Amino acid sequence: MTAAPPHNKPPTMNKLPPLTALRAFEATARLLSFTAAAEELHVTQSAVSRQVRALEAHLQHALFVRLTRRIELTPQGQSYYQDVRQAFDQICEAGNRLNRRRTRASLSLAVLPGVAALWLMPRLETFWRDNKHIDVRIVVATDAADFRPGQIDMAIQVGVLPGTRSKGLPLGRRMAVDWHGLRADPLFPDALVALCHDRLWRRHPVRSIDDLSRHALIHTAIRPQAWHDWLSEHGARLASNQARIECSQYAMALQAAMNGEGIALAPSVLADSFDPERRLRRLFDGPTPSAGQYYLLTPADRYDAAPVRRFREWLLGQAQASSA
């Protein structure tokens, strides 16, 4: 059963004037000439004059003053012309909007909060500059990607591909709800780096793992075991009385480190995006690789859709430049 349009009643006015009469009036009023209006509409002058008289009879108002060699709009005609012209403009714009919707493409992308805020959003302007016809809907999500119909088209996730084994810091998270029919394009490696501001380091230098006990460690909710796993990788343990700062996202954790509040542990790709001028000091021997990496996940049945393909090509190029 088809739903009725929202406005299914006839206009409250007794009868709408014929469109041909309105077109004849609009052209005549704009050009102030029956002859010029007839030429524009590809009809005879008498046909235009007849249509205008029929409209005047319908409205019960004179719209023109017919002088010997010219015509003028009456005050009522001038007012009516402005309303008709506005209505015609609105009709044209409605058609333009329909055409714009028909020619625009769209895609939805699920992204981890830190990647969205620190890595993706600063770069998106370059995609939109060259792809103005593609709308990109960004969905910030920390859960495993859900590609059921009507959910998302693509996702940026970090983790380990099913059936693979690799050394490094454990991640302990799922990238996708269901891997059936998914394709994964690698973006960049996942490695954690410890960072602090120079003024904090100058007060209490951090030259060894033991020196960490003199500082607050900044933890991030998306990877709550990161400090525990990182210390284990370096043969140390998280002390029970260790001062700590809790942040919900990497952007907050890195800002806390920038403020000199403690030492943050963050993916190197996000740290580089947040701090391209290297105002934060990278501690120890640099990044410690995890067991996974960042991937762009796409269902196979959407992989070659034009907007998805265009965005993937752009994203892989950005990732390659970022890694370099």
Side-chain angles (χ1 to χ4, degrees), residues 229-274:
D229 297 335
W230 186 90
L231 287 167
S232 296
E233 185 76 10
H234 289 78
R237 294 195 323 176
L238 191 64
S240 58
N241 61 345
Q242 176 77 54
R244 59 189 292 141
I245 297 173
E246 301 281 350
C247 293
S248 61
Q249 299 181 15
Y250 279 121
M252 297 171 60
L254 289 166
Q255 187 60 56
M258 187 69 77
N259 295 342
E261 297 171 24
I263 299 177
L265 191 63
S268 58
V269 67
L270 302 187
D272 291 342
S273 297
F274 177 85

Side-chain angles (χ1 to χ4, degrees), residues 5-273:
H7 301 290
N8 55 359
K9 293 183 178 180
T12 54
M13 186 176 173
N14 289 339
K15 287 179 183 160
L16 282 171
L19 180 59
T20 51
L22 288 175
R23 289 186 65 202
F25 165 72
E26 188 278 332
T28 304
R30 174 165 40 84
L31 300 169
L32 288 178
S33 168
F34 289 116
T35 302
E39 291 176 355
E40 180 178 292
L41 298 175
H42 303 290
V43 295
T44 64
Q45 178 182 346
S46 60
V48 171
S49 179
R50 193 164 53 249
Q51 291 290 347
V52 170
R53 289 194 180 280
L55 181 61
E56 290 175 319
H58 174 84
L59 298 172
Q60 298 182 357
H61 283 287
L63 301 175
F64 293 99
V65 177
R66 293 161 175 83
L67 303 172
T68 304
R69 295 183 179 274
R70 59 190 175 88
I71 59 173
E72 295 178 355
L73 284 163
T74 65
Q76 296 89 344
Q78 182 66 45
S79 175
Y80 191 61
Y81 169 68
Q82 296 298 329
D83 291 339
V84 169
R85 182 71 185 179
Q86 184 177 4
F88 277 18
D89 288 343
Q90 290 176 343
I91 292 170
C92 289
E93 180 55 28
N96 291 336
R97 284 197 299 270
L98 283 176
N99 286 330
R100 284 197 295 270
R101 291 191 195 108
R102 187 176 58 198
T103 56
R104 295 195 67 78
S106 64
L107 62 89
S108 56
L109 175 75
V111 195
L112 297 166
V115 179
L118 300 175
W119 189 86
L120 179 62
M121 297 308 296
R123 292 169 167 81
L124 258 183
E125 189 264 337
T126 64
F127 176 79
W128 280 321
R129 188 175 59 216
D130 298 327
N131 299 273
K132 294 182 174 64
H133 63 291
I134 300 178
D135 295 328
V136 181
R137 182 172 67 96
I138 305 298
V139 181
V140 175
T142 58
D143 296 333
D146 185 355
F147 290 98
R148 287 176 298 177
Q151 301 297 312
I152 54 174
D153 297 304
M154 316 169 83
I156 297 177
Q157 280 282 353
V158 60
V160 181
L161 293 178
T164 62
R165 298 179 63 184
S166 57
K167 298 179 180 179
L169 299 177
L171 282 160
R173 64 188 313 275
R174 291 192 307 161
M175 287 196 286
V177 172
D178 182 4
W179 280 94
H180 179 72
L182 278 189
R183 298 182 64 170
D185 290 290
L187 295 175
F188 29 74
D190 179 51
L192 298 183
V193 60
L195 310 107
C196 75
H197 198 277
D198 268 339
R199 64 175 174 271
L200 181 65
W201 194 91
R202 285 195 296 269
R203 286 203 308 268
H204 300 292
V206 180
R207 295 187 173 92
S208 70
I209 298 296
D210 292 338
D211 292 332
L212 292 174
S213 62
R214 306 168 69 185
H215 298 276
L217 300 185
I218 303 171
H219 295 254
T220 310
I222 192 171
R223 206 178 290 189
Q225 295 297 312
W227 269 115
H228 174 275
D229 297 335
W230 186 90
L231 287 167
S232 296
E233 185 76 10
H234 289 78
R237 294 195 323 176
L238 191 64
S240 58
N241 61 345
Q242 176 77 54
R244 59 189 292 141
I245 297 173
E246 301 281 350
C247 293
S248 61
Q249 299 181 15
Y250 279 121
M252 297 171 60
L254 289 166
Q255 187 60 56
M258 187 69 77
N259 295 342
E261 297 171 24
I263 299 177
L265 191 63
S268 58
V269 67
L270 302 187
D272 291 342
S273 297

Side-chain angles (χ1 to χ4, degrees), residues 265-309:
L265 191 63
S268 58
V269 67
L270 302 187
D272 291 342
S273 297
F274 177 85
D275 185 30
E277 297 175 2
R278 294 292 180 115
R279 293 167 295 175
L280 291 174
R281 181 185 288 260
R282 273 66 172 164
L283 302 179
F284 308 112
D285 296 327
T288 302
S290 82
Q293 60 180 321
Y294 286 86
Y295 293 94
L296 176 64
L297 306 181
T298 314
D301 60 358
R302 289 172 240 176
Y303 195 79
D304 291 322
V308 171
R309 183 180 69 251

